Amino acid sequence: MQLNLQSGKRRKPLSLTPLIDVVFILLLFFMLTSSFIKWHNMELAVSAPSQSSSRSNDTPPLVFRLNAEGELRVAGQAYTPSQDADLQLLLNEHADASIILQTADEVDVQQIVSTIDRLKRLGADGVSLNTDR
């Protein structure tokens, strides 16, 4: 049995630098493409003015108007988030009325969703979004 030993040639050690680079690139890719937002569904009724039916025939609907600054107006009265107690009293007084939300053209979707969520937290159920200006 003959051993073939080549004492003059040594194997080059494997460099880990390219492997670490690839791992960091993969880590960066997965961090940038991951979404950490918890999504949930929201019920939304969309109605035209002719379809704006109230819960009872003698009760007119409450029409909320949302402008681009996030100001919510009902019958000329402005309600800011700091006045949620007053808004809740208004909603309790008109508990049997349906609620229609009208928005200005400049209002973005996040403001609309936040306002609908705010109204639902204050006790308004059945908020519908009016798509006709």
Side-chain angles (χ1 to χ4, degrees):
M1 185 181 251
Q2 188 178 20
L3 292 173
N4 191 0
L5 295 175
Q6 298 177 353
S7 60
K9 288 188 174 181
R10 292 185 68 202
R11 293 186 77 188
K12 210 161 122 182
L14 184 63
S15 174
L16 293 179
T17 305
L19 181 64
I20 292 172
D21 289 344
V22 169
V23 168
F24 279 123
I25 289 172
L26 286 173
L27 179 68
L28 182 66
F29 172 77
F30 287 119
M31 285 176 56
L32 291 176
T33 58
S34 296
S35 175
F36 298 106
I37 298 174
K38 184 177 179 182
W39 296 97
H40 59 58
N41 295 334
M42 176 181 278
E43 294 290 325
L44 179 64
V46 180
S47 65
S50 61
Q51 298 173 344
S52 61
S53 62
S54 59
R55 292 180 191 161
S56 64
N57 292 336
D58 58 342
T59 306
L62 277 176
V63 179
F64 289 84
R65 289 181 175 81
L66 179 66
N67 63 14
E69 289 80 29
E71 186 179 64
L72 194 60
R73 291 190 161 270
V74 182
Q77 174 69 34
Y79 292 96
T80 60
S82 63
Q83 297 171 319
D84 278 351
D86 297 335
L87 186 59
Q88 190 170 19
L89 286 174
L90 176 74
L91 290 172
N92 289 339
E93 288 174 8
H94 298 81
D96 56 340
S98 62
I99 296 172
I100 298 173
L101 179 64
Q102 293 178 342
T103 61
D105 290 334
E106 302 83 25
V107 177
D108 60 353
V109 175
Q110 183 59 50
Q111 283 181 322
I112 296 171
V113 171
S114 298
T115 302
I116 292 172
D117 189 42
R118 176 181 164 203
L119 289 172
K120 285 186 178 184
R121 276 187 286 118
L122 293 174
D125 55 332
V127 178
S128 63
L129 180 65
N130 191 343
T131 58
D132 203 18
R133 304 279 185 259

